[in-house]
Amino acid sequence: MFWRMVKGALFRQKGKMAMIAFTVALGASLSTAMLNVMLDVGDKVNQELKAYGANINVMPKGASLLDDLYGVREGGGVSDKYLKESELGGIKTIFWAFNIVDFAPYLETRVRVNALEDEIKLAGTWFSHHLELPTGESLDTGMVNMKNWWDVSGQWLTDQDTDGAMVGSLLAGRGGIQTGDSIRITSGSQSVSLEVKGIFHAGSDEDEQIFVPLPVVQELTDREGFVSRVEVSALTTPDNELSRRAAQNPKSLSIKEWETWYCTAYVSAICYQIDEVVTDSVSKPIRQVAESEGAILEKTQLLMLLITVLCLVGSALGISNLVTASVMERSKEIGLLKAVGANNAPVSWLILTEILCTGITGGVAGYFAGLGFAQIIGHSVFGSAVDIKPMVIPIVAVLVFAVTLAGSVPSIRYILSLRPAEVLHGR
Amino acid sequence: MGMLELIDISKIYGSVNALRNIGLTVDQGEWLAIMGPSGSGKTTLMNIVGCMDKPSQGAVILDGVNISKESAKNLTAIRRDKIGLIFQQFHLISYLTALENVMAAQYYHSMPDEGEALEALARVGLKDRAKHFPSQLSGGEQQRVCIARALINYPMLILADEPTGNLDEANEGIVLEILRKLHQDGSTIIVVTHDPEVAEQAQRTVVLEHGRIARIIRNTSPGPGAGPSL
Ligand SMILES: Nc1ncnc2c1ncn2[C@@H]1O[C@H](COP(=O)(O)OP(=O)(O)OP(=O)(O)O)[C@@H](O)[C@H]1O
Ligand SMILES: [Mg+2]
């Protein structure tokens, strides 16, 4: 009988119930969209901000000091300090491995190119290097991802192109070098001939350099298995007082503080963790970029949270208006139920069940509409699809429940205070 | 001692004295009519007897229990178990069929029983309209559904506030006929009415004026059909 009454009420008042369902759907769809985008925005913003390049520089111990003090542009093999190429996979195994978006090692040296007079910086690197990690995972990392804003005419090198080179646009202009040309590179007594596969415009002093696969430079300089520095692009949390103290000296923290710091994606914590896995390395944040990435991410997420909360409050208010109006319209019916012997609890439960059924219908519809919104936001704001996170389902379910219940409070109070004698004898 | 005793009842709404010092006893199986001009307190009295309101003063003894002191929750239970209500505006639930309207009263009383509910509709001559919605029924038919609903839980007291007020003469006749039968079967009935013809059917008529009992008329000549022939 109970369900017959619920069913009757739902089907005979389709219009009103549809309005309530629609309001719930609106709230649910916006929260679904916002939550999905919010949970995915880390990756999205990160993909966006990666355009600004690496935010951590990993150097061998002695070399980094020199660099810091003198802003040195190293001469041919100025430092005899190197990092081991074989250890670099470890960067993807640190505590904050998932925040490491990309990294690329460099082995740099100064060479002569063709007949040009000055020495040119030649960098060996990974373009899109496949790594098998000891953890069993594998990944591809390197310049192609990290410098994705480079404007390349011709094509990117691959790690197999050991007889190819990419030349910076300024250097190419100066030396009259074009894609397809062959250039002669001389380092000391050694010399190789390479084909120019691509000419890039980076908008930085890299435009004066030549990039080749790492093994080429290792062979040329007799440094097999070594690299001179690594650029890392990591997603970080903005610095605060704790992280700044830690950056000065991690040992100054109490154990508890140290744990908090280590387990937060501060750039200093990530640097510290990189130094733990790469022997004799010193990681330094390229601070400005690292901070703005985290800050933008946090602000975007806060904004979305705010929109979600506001829109939920809005739909709770809407529901409460609609439900209260509908219940007041049905005051005679409710009075009648009370008159034939229904207590407050069963009457409230009946109305609540109706509203919840309506709310659930609206919630389910809203969820799927929200997935659509999320994709629209993804495509219009980030230019890519938003990953659908299953954990949004329980969150939205709880929110729909809470909002529907909150919206029903005034009508339930009305039901409790309704006295049958007052509504049944129309005055 | 009657099954319903009103002892010196008054009801005051702010400055309005809706009922003043009413004393009345209704016996088991009696049919009582209440008449009086508009605003004389008829509905107020019915609400108090029907456990939907409490007197400001005085005592109401229903079936040996003083209901003027009970909590709202207990009043609901007493109303559910002992009283059948018939309204001038029928108050059927629009989205339930005639049958379901009757069953709703069963549901809140004990257990819905479709067979029994159909039987109640049969008693008011509406068995074949069981699946119809109130909007598909005439006023008279709706009132008969309302009566079937009032009867379904075998109340000891039936209260009808102007049951024929919204009906034409033909339907009024049908409803009166049903009430008459109920009375013969031993039900105790209190009817509020403006219609002398309806009042005539009762054994006694209480006339209210300004919240007071002005007079009580004992009907020596119950109307047609009230005799033992039925
Ligand atoms: N809830 C209330 N608040 C204030 N005054 C009320 C209330 N209910 C009834 N009254 C007043 O009490 C008096 C009696 O009202 P009641 O409804 O009992 O009259 P009635 O005899 O049923 O009239 P009618 O024949 O028009 O139905 C009226 O003056 C009415 O205005
Ligand atoms: Mg009245």
Side-chain angles (χ1 to χ4, degrees), chain A residues 422 427, chain B residues 13 16-18 36-45 161-162 194:
Chain A
E422 279 165 13
R427 233 179 280 278
Chain B
Y13 291 113
V16 180
N17 253 326
S38 185
S40 55
K42 306 181 295 293
T43 298
T44 306
L45 184 62
D161 196 345
E162 305 199 32
H194 282 293

Side-chain angles (χ1 to χ4, degrees), chain A residues 153-157 161 163-166 179-181 195-199:
Chain A
S153 67
Q155 62 194 45
W156 278 98
L157 285 190
D161 284 330
D163 53 358
M166 290 182 81
T179 343
D181 287 359
E195 187 197 341
V196 179
K197 287 272 175 72
I199 292 177

